[in-house]
Amino acid sequence: SQKIEQNSEALNIQEGKTATLTCNYTNYSPAYLQWYRQDPGRGPVFLLLIRENEKEKRKERLKVTFDTTLKQSLFHITASQPADSATYLCALDRGSTLGRLYFGRGTQLTVWP
Amino acid sequence: DTGVSQDPRHKITKRGQNVTFRCDPISEHNRLYWYRQTLGQGPEFLTYFQNEAQLEKSRLLSDRFSAERPKGSFSTLEIQRTEQGDSAMYLCASSYGTADSNQPQHFGDGTRLSIL
């Protein structure tokens, strides 16, 4: 079965620094890899999607990389702000017509002033 | 707001009772998903609809669980004879997908179920 590991349960960084979150997966190679943000008591909110043939994707202060050889994705938030504090979830999509997502446990990011 | 809507937001019930949750997806989305999330874990897939057809069910979905999506619009998830282990957040998501591609899923804010 698919196994997704996110590097740590919690990451604490100072405002202005770059946060780097890691997602490693085993077994099947996903066609897509997605990152979501989740705030307490709320549903996940989609942030970025990267395809298996893409190395890097950017959106404003966010950057995602995808290394299918290492079976790893890195998610970066540059110039982090306290408002970035949330749980970040990595999700794999195997690209079949089913479209179900396999989620990691998430990394809780805290950005302190 | 035209996002995914779930009702109720919270449900408290006694063990053994039946509960039903409703999800209203984004109107132009043809795919609808149910996930379950427990504290400290990521969402786990339960079931998936494309239009009105239920195309996949997880092994997590015991025979006490049933989901419907009549006419390919809203969906309901029913749990019969609830057990303590059913306590969780039940999330609904929708997306638009074709045979060639999947679009990102948009999630509702979930229904939090507590079993007394």
Side-chain angles (χ1 to χ4, degrees), chain A residues 11-63:
Chain A
L11 180 65
N12 300 310
I13 65 167
Q14 188 176 21
E15 182 176 11
K17 302 291 187 184
T18 296
T20 299
L21 286 64
T22 304
C23 175
N24 295 294
Y25 59 91
T26 58
N27 297 341
Y28 309 106
S29 292
Y32 309 89
L33 194 144
Q34 302 181 30
W35 284 88
Y36 287 78
R37 168 184 172 141
Q38 188 172 27
D39 292 287
R42 306 295 300 273
V45 174
F46 170 74
L47 296 175
L48 278 172
L49 177 152
I50 189 166
R51 293 175 171 78
E52 61 180 338
N53 60 352
E54 297 176 320
K55 296 288 187 188
E56 182 178 298
K57 203 78 164 285
R58 290 176 185 261
K59 178 183 175 183
E60 298 173 351
R61 294 185 296 111
L62 309 180
K63 184 178 84 170

Side-chain angles (χ1 to χ4, degrees), chain A residues 32 34 36 38 41-46 49 51 89 93-106, chain B residues 9 31 33 35 37 40-43 45 48 50 55-56 58 89 91 98-102 104-105 107-109:
Chain A
Y32 309 89
Q34 302 181 30
Y36 287 78
Q38 188 172 27
R42 306 295 300 273
V45 174
F46 170 74
L49 177 152
R51 293 175 171 78
L89 298 162
D93 179 347
R94 288 169 56 186
S96 70
T97 55
L98 300 177
R100 63 179 290 186
L101 294 176
Y102 298 83
F103 281 90
R105 295 179 61 180
Chain B
R9 290 295 314 279
R31 295 182 174 181
Y33 307 81
Y35 293 85
Q37 186 176 27
Q41 302 295 320
F45 171 79
Y48 153 70
Q50 178 146 318
L55 297 187
E56 189 183 12
S58 164
M89 173 81 88
L91 293 163
T98 67
D100 300 322
S101 70
N102 296 321
Q105 295 180 21
F107 283 80
D109 283 334

Side-chain angles (χ1 to χ4, degrees), chain A residues 56-106:
Chain A
E56 182 178 298
K57 203 78 164 285
R58 290 176 185 261
K59 178 183 175 183
E60 298 173 351
R61 294 185 296 111
L62 309 180
K63 184 178 84 170
V64 174
T65 62
F66 195 5
D67 188 327
T68 55
T69 302
L70 293 178
K71 296 192 173 184
Q72 181 181 81
S73 173
L74 299 179
F75 177 79
H76 306 272
I77 306 174
T78 58
S80 59
Q81 305 166 1
D84 295 326
S85 298
T87 296
Y88 291 85
L89 298 162
C90 165
L92 307 187
D93 179 347
R94 288 169 56 186
S96 70
T97 55
L98 300 177
R100 63 179 290 186
L101 294 176
Y102 298 83
F103 281 90
R105 295 179 61 180

Side-chain angles (χ1 to χ4, degrees), chain B residues 24-44:
Chain B
D24 287 275
I26 294 172
S27 58
E28 58 267 29
H29 286 177
N30 58 345
R31 295 182 174 181
L32 187 147
Y33 307 81
W34 285 97
Y35 293 85
R36 182 174 69 187
Q37 186 176 27
T38 54
L39 198 62
Q41 302 295 320
E44 294 177 293

